[in-house]
Amino acid sequence: MNPQKLQKLLAGFKGWREQAFILALAERAVPNAQLYYESTEQRAQARALTQLIDAIWLRIQKPGSEDELEERAAELSDTLSTLTPDTESVDQYGVYPARDVCALIEQSLLAMINPEKRRCEEASQLSLATITQFIEFAEGEGKSEDALIKLFDRHPLVAREFSFQEELYDLLRSAPHPSVEFFQSLRELAQDEGVSNIGVSLAD
């Protein structure tokens, strides 16, 4: 599927499909934040992030009443604020992908609290931006803007990202209704055997 077409289709997602799409993007990027926390000896933060993701998946599966949903989402948002790294005070590249993970999680929470605003397209672009920024950091030194664009266009990480997002879209579009089993399979797909959207694996 053409990436531009995918972006337009994502703009039509809403409700549990929108929330699950954004959270799956965040899930896939989690190793980026975990690596940052471990490299800066913030192991408690790493554990807290895993617990936060678990809690949000559970909340999507069993939303409860509107009041309960808003209250729980607010609590989770408060937790997230303590986990989001300050890019201004850290001189380390890994802080940026870690911040992006938290931004995706925030988008998933906002989608729960305010379902009227469409957020899938923005989350999709954020995940892609994490990848292109990583490629520029790792391989882009001395390259012109045109050379960088060509590098992005042919890079396997970018191709892998579009393939994942398209598969995620197809699964969510074709699912007739949400179920615990469906969300579990979606989360397993997003985890991608522990490899993040920028190719980070804590098993390495």
Side-chain angles (χ1 to χ4, degrees), residues 89-123:
S89 62
V90 179
D91 185 20
Q92 179 181 332
Y93 173 77
V95 71
Y96 297 104
R99 175 205 57 193
D100 290 348
V101 175
C102 294
L104 284 169
I105 295 173
E106 181 182 33
Q107 288 297 317
S108 74
L109 290 172
L110 289 172
M112 293 167 62
I113 297 170
N114 180 15
E116 298 305 314
K117 181 179 178 181
R118 302 282 79 85
R119 301 179 187 276
C120 270
E121 190 175 4
E122 181 180 347

Side-chain angles (χ1 to χ4, degrees), residues 31-178:
N32 302 337
Q34 300 284 27
L35 181 62
Y36 167 73
Y37 292 141
E38 291 191 9
S39 69
T40 53
E41 299 185 355
Q42 298 182 74
R43 292 178 177 83
Q45 300 285 78
R47 290 191 297 272
L49 183 69
T50 299
Q51 293 168 356
L52 177 62
I53 287 279
D54 289 344
I56 300 174
W57 278 112
L58 181 61
R59 185 52 52 183
I60 288 178
Q61 293 171 29
K62 301 177 181 179
S65 69
E66 185 174 341
D67 288 344
E68 290 173 336
L69 179 60
E70 289 188 4
E71 181 179 354
R72 184 58 174 147
E75 292 172 358
L76 295 172
S77 182
D78 288 342
T79 300
L80 177 63
S81 67
T82 69
L83 300 175
T84 304
D86 180 8
T87 58
E88 298 297 324
S89 62
V90 179
D91 185 20
Q92 179 181 332
Y93 173 77
V95 71
Y96 297 104
R99 175 205 57 193
D100 290 348
V101 175
C102 294
L104 284 169
I105 295 173
E106 181 182 33
Q107 288 297 317
S108 74
L109 290 172
L110 289 172
M112 293 167 62
I113 297 170
N114 180 15
E116 298 305 314
K117 181 179 178 181
R118 302 282 79 85
R119 301 179 187 276
C120 270
E121 190 175 4
E122 181 180 347
S124 168
Q125 292 172 351
L126 174 57
S127 184
L128 180 61
T130 302
I131 296 165
T132 55
Q133 288 164 6
F134 171 74
I135 295 170
E136 183 174 1
F137 170 77
E139 305 176 32
E141 185 175 359
K143 285 184 169 58
S144 66
E145 185 174 346
D146 286 345
L148 281 173
I149 292 172
K150 291 178 181 178
L151 177 61
F152 300 154
D153 286 344
R154 66 172 186 268
H155 204 283
L157 286 178
V158 173
R160 179 170 167 262
E161 175 70 8
F162 281 127
S163 177
F164 169 72
Q165 290 196 20
E166 182 177 350
E167 183 176 4
L168 191 58
Y169 169 80
D170 287 340
L171 287 170
L172 285 163
R173 178 182 56 82
S174 61
H177 56 80

Side-chain angles (χ1 to χ4, degrees), residues 10-29:
L10 287 174
F13 264 176
K14 60 183 179 179
W16 65 268
R17 289 182 174 86
E18 177 185 53
Q19 295 166 25
F21 181 87
I22 298 171
L23 189 56
L25 292 182
E27 179 78 51
R28 188 163 180 261

